[in-house]
């Protein structure tokens, strides 16, 4: 079962990402140590798409380097 959008947001916020807003259901998360923002779209209770899970995973891995 895929994670919910709210779970991905919680992972990003625990890692220090900040929601800088977005248009509509889009949210852009930035981190001072990350090169590019992570964009998540959808309602909080929606299942995350595989590309969204991958984007969050890659952003968190980039911070560990």
């Amino acid at each position: 079962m895929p994670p919910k959008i709210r779970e991905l947001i919680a992972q990003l916020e625990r890692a220090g990402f900040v929601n800088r807003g977005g248009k509509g259901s889009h949210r852009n998360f930035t981190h001072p140590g990350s090169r590019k923002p992570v964009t998540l779209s959808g309602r909080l209770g929606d299942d995350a798409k595989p590309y969204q899970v991958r984007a969050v995973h890659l952003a968190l891995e980039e911070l560990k380097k």
Side-chain angles (χ1 to χ4, degrees):
M1 188 159 157
K4 301 291 183 184
I5 297 292
R6 75 169 61 88
E7 295 168 7
L8 295 181
I9 290 172
Q11 290 176 3
L12 289 171
E13 288 176 341
R14 277 194 300 271
F17 282 79
V18 178
N19 183 357
R20 64 179 179 101
K23 188 171 185 177
S25 66
H26 289 71
R27 297 164 196 87
N28 298 301
F29 292 88
T30 58
H31 190 280
S34 182
R35 284 179 254 161
K36 61 181 183 176
V38 177
T39 301
L40 294 177
S41 62
R43 290 185 229 132
L44 295 177
D46 290 349
D47 289 340
K49 304 280 193 263
Y51 70 89
Q52 293 171 321
V53 175
R54 193 173 11 212
V56 169
H57 178 69
L58 290 174
L60 295 176
E61 287 296 318
E62 181 183 334
L63 290 180
K64 292 180 182 178
K65 292 181 183 180

